[in-house]
Amino acid sequence: MMRSTLRRRLFGGLLAAFTGATALTLTAPPAQAAATDYIIGQFNIAGGNDKWGTHGMEAPDALVTSVQTRGSKLAFVTIQEGCRDWMERLREKLPDYEVAYDAINGGTDDHPIRCYHERDNPKGDQVNAVLYRKDFGVDTAPVAYDLGTPRDKEHREMLCVASQARKIVICSVHLSSGDLGDRRNEAARAADILRTTYAGYTRLLGGDTNDDPLSAVSDNFYAPGYEHGAHGEFKEVDSPCGNDVKEGYDSWTWDPISGFPIPYHVVCRSGETTHKGLTGQKIDYLFVPLNVTVHSADATSSKYSDHIPLWADVTVPENPADPGGGGGEPPANRPPVVYAGPSVAGDEGGVLTLRGAASDDGATAPAVSWSYRTLEGSATCSFGTRNRPVTTFTCTDNGVFEVTLTADDGVNPPVSDSTEVTVANTPPKLTLNGPKPWQVFRAGTAVPVAAPFTDAGADTHTCAITWDDGTTDSFAGSGSCDRSHTFAHAGMYTLKVQVTDDDGGSDSATVLVIVYDPDAGFVTGGGNTADGHFTLNPKYLPHERLNGKVTYSSGDLSVRSTELEWLVVTGYGKAAAKGAAEVNGETGYGFVAYAVDDPGNLRVVVWKLSDGAYPDGTVVHDNRAGASYDLDAADPPEIRTGSITVHN
């Protein structure tokens, strides 16, 4: 589901606040000292849980009580699995706070994900949210950043609210459950957005990562000093090491039985459990910069969620280069914040979706435009709607491209952000229209091949036809691999037609054709097989009239030819005949007999003509089931007694 504006998509209940539909005013922060003491919180309120999400307003009301208990020092709470009506309840009950929320959608159709207490009502839309004090200084519209979650899953986004005047940003994130690879990619993207889009800001991140502190997912957030593969920029408020960013420390406890001390090691990448269903498991976090001082942190308790709220008392230093207002003149207009979205990959000719975002401290969203440059390849690309942050991108051929989203607020110089699009080659698609399977040709006449192909890319193509008589044609193809060939000798030939594009992608098709020569000879034979007997004497008469009979028995099966369609006699002791037959006195059957002389081999395939003009799938009998129907690979079993002679 496409949304017509970035603002409608991201801001939920904040829409009115930024369009002037209500009297809400975002108060500039008071004059700031060098640092400010805050209480900050993180809570997955579990509206999307099939057990806990069935609660009504008692769930948000419990959070209201927790906020009120902590007083005006509480700056914000990051919230996951919230519900639209629950967030409106928080706004109603907490007049000193604002709530920014972003609806969570899912599936390739981008349908809304609903909370369990309101499954059929838009007010039950599940949301990711930030609850923050109105006097905290937020002066830009919220932005939800796509984290590249596969489109068949819930679309996880990171919601951020920022104060450009104070250079502080608060973000709420909820990473995917299930697939570890998806979760790692989302975490890496979230960390990259914080590092690049909000460079120079004090970055405060709360969320449910669905993973433990020592996981590869958490590596993206913990600072390197924590070790164990950490390569992020943050410390976590509930670390047992407090403000010390290190691997851990050694400690000891008393053994109550022996009375002796027992040593143990404390890993700093750990903390109190935050999920009731995962004993001892921490999956909820509050990450803060290393220059933020953590005074205390505590995972408390919850009555209406399977997650446990996390609270911390911290001191946040103000940006000395940009301390913010305190009355007097309003802060200067700031440049827009722009995000080109996650990297994208797809196929040539396919429609790829770019999920950018842009916000500004003005009353309206900034004007945006997309552009691209080619890093690899020579394709031509186009945008669906160039002046929307969420748009489509289509390329005529494979390659690698840098797409750039530029935002312009009309006051400051335009601001841009770029991401990479990789377009993979799509192999051509070949259709073999002719000859038809088992089509019959006379030796010395042309066998035409009609094989059109399509390709989503602007590629050049090479056709190759293997004629199965020792010859191959290779030639440039332009929309088709049409060719003709004349077979000099009788045989059953499996033709292979293949088209290959200039990137190595290919498609192919095969077809079996019958080439007969009435002057090539005939076949005779009679004797016993492993469980029956046979006779055969098909022969071409003048004017290409076929004469002779084929009889065959196997157990209770009795086959007698009633009509001969064709006879193939090769120059190397092999023959095949096809026609109609009676089976146990009943008509409506087809047969193919394969014969080899010296020492004498016979294969008989029987099928119902109602199933097709040639054997393809279900057969009534085949004494070499699974072998090819091509004479050269038919592999007929050796007869037990008697003889077969191929006459040339």
Side-chain angles (χ1 to χ4, degrees), residues 438 440 492 512 514 523 533-540 546-553 557-568 575-584 586-595 602-616 618-623 629 634:
W438 293 70
V440 181
M492 299 176 72
L512 177 67
I514 313 302
V523 60
H533 64 274
F534 70 95
T535 63
L536 65 160
N537 61 350
K539 179 181 181 178
Y540 276 103
L546 267 172
N547 188 39
K549 290 286 184 179
V550 174
T551 65
Y552 171 80
S553 68
L557 181 79
S558 176
V559 180
R560 186 177 69 86
S561 65
T562 59
E563 180 184 355
L564 294 177
E565 181 182 341
W566 50 256
L567 170 65
V568 169
K578 178 177 180 289
E582 291 180 345
V583 174
N584 296 337
E586 182 181 344
T587 60
Y589 293 85
F591 79 93
V592 180
Y594 299 89
L602 180 70
R603 178 185 177 189
V604 177
V605 181
V606 182
W607 71 98
K608 289 184 177 181
L609 290 173
S610 59
D611 291 332
Y614 54 89
D616 182 23
T618 302
V619 297
V620 174
H621 174 80
D622 185 352
N623 63 332
Y629 292 132

Side-chain angles (χ1 to χ4, degrees), residues 40-45 59 62-63 66-67 70 77-80 236-238 272-276 282 284-286 297-312:
I40 59 178
Q42 149 62 28
F43 186 33
N44 182 324
I45 201 169
L63 180 56
S66 293
V67 171
R70 286 164 175 81
V77 182
T78 51
I79 301 170
Q80 299 79 45
E236 209 279 322
V237 298
D238 203 31
E272 299 171 273
T273 182
T274 61
H275 193 281
K276 299 174 183 177
K282 175 179 175 63
D284 299 86
Y285 301 82
L286 274 171
D298 190 21
T300 55
S301 63
S302 61
K303 185 177 180 180
Y304 302 107
S305 173
D306 56 341
H307 288 254
I308 299 171
L310 180 60
W311 309 95

Side-chain angles (χ1 to χ4, degrees), residues 86-125:
W86 288 1
M87 298 304 101
E88 295 298 337
R89 182 75 160 196
L90 295 180
R91 179 180 285 121
E92 173 191 347
K93 294 288 187 178
L94 297 169
D96 293 331
Y97 289 83
E98 186 51 85
V99 187
Y101 54 82
D102 171 45
I104 304 300
N105 296 320
T108 55
D109 60 350
D110 219 25
H111 64 271
I113 304 299
R114 296 275 161 76
C115 288
Y116 273 84
H117 71 288
E118 290 284 359
R119 299 294 282 170
D120 302 315
N121 194 323
K123 70 180 182 179
D125 286 352

Side-chain angles (χ1 to χ4, degrees), residues 253-546:
T253 187
W254 291 105
D255 184 334
I257 298 176
S258 67
F260 291 105
I262 301 174
Y264 65 92
H265 185 72
V266 177
V267 177
C268 292
R269 281 178 64 171
S270 60
E272 299 171 273
T273 182
T274 61
H275 193 281
K276 299 174 183 177
L278 302 169
T279 304
Q281 182 97 4
K282 175 179 175 63
I283 62 173
D284 299 86
Y285 301 82
L286 274 171
F287 288 107
V288 298
L290 302 187
N291 64 347
V292 170
T293 302
V294 180
H295 301 291
S296 64
D298 190 21
T300 55
S301 63
S302 61
K303 185 177 180 180
Y304 302 107
S305 173
D306 56 341
H307 288 254
I308 299 171
L310 180 60
W311 309 95
D313 191 339
V314 299
T315 298
V316 179
E318 293 297 328
N319 190 323
D322 193 1
E329 293 297 322
N333 187 282
R334 304 282 175 173
V337 174
V338 63
Y339 168 56
S343 57
V344 178
D347 296 329
E348 61 187 7
V351 178
L352 309 181
T353 300
L354 304 177
R355 298 184 178 276
S359 66
D360 189 55
D361 57 357
T364 61
V368 298
S369 63
W370 285 97
S371 60
Y372 80 92
R373 70 184 183 97
T374 302
L375 303 180
E376 295 180 16
S378 57
T380 300
C381 304
S382 61
F383 297 94
T385 305
R386 189 181 292 269
N387 60 353
R388 288 186 178 180
V390 178
T391 189
T392 57
F393 188 63
T394 305
C395 296
T396 60
D397 205 356
N398 57 295
V400 181
F401 310 91
E402 181 184 76
V403 292
T404 299
L405 179 62
T406 300
D408 188 351
D409 64 358
V411 178
N412 298 282
V415 179
S416 298
D417 184 45
S418 300
T419 192
E420 194 169 276
V421 176
T422 302
V423 178
N425 179 61
T426 300
K429 293 186 180 300
L430 179 81
T431 303
L432 185 53
N433 290 333
K436 300 300 181 182
W438 293 70
Q439 190 170 345
V440 181
F441 299 89
R442 195 184 196 282
T445 61
V447 176
V449 167
F453 63 83
T454 59
D455 196 327
D459 296 325
T460 58
H461 300 85
T462 300
C463 297
I465 304 179
T466 303
W467 298 103
D468 199 23
D469 63 351
T471 62
T472 299
D473 284 349
S474 182
F475 53 95
S478 179
S480 70
C481 291
D482 295 357
R483 214 66 160 184
S484 64
H485 183 72
T486 300
F487 291 93
H489 304 288
M492 299 176 72
Y493 298 98
T494 301
L495 315 185
K496 180 181 179 181
V497 185
Q498 178 168 304
V499 59
T500 305
D501 66 21
D502 53 17
D503 297 300
S506 66
D507 192 19
S508 63
T510 60
V511 64
L512 177 67
V513 299
I514 313 302
V515 177
Y516 73 98
D517 182 352
D519 301 320
F522 60 98
V523 60
T524 58
N528 294 307
T529 62
D531 60 350
H533 64 274
F534 70 95
T535 63
L536 65 160
N537 61 350
K539 179 181 181 178
Y540 276 103
L541 299 177
H543 308 295
E544 299 187 11
R545 290 186 300 111
L546 267 172

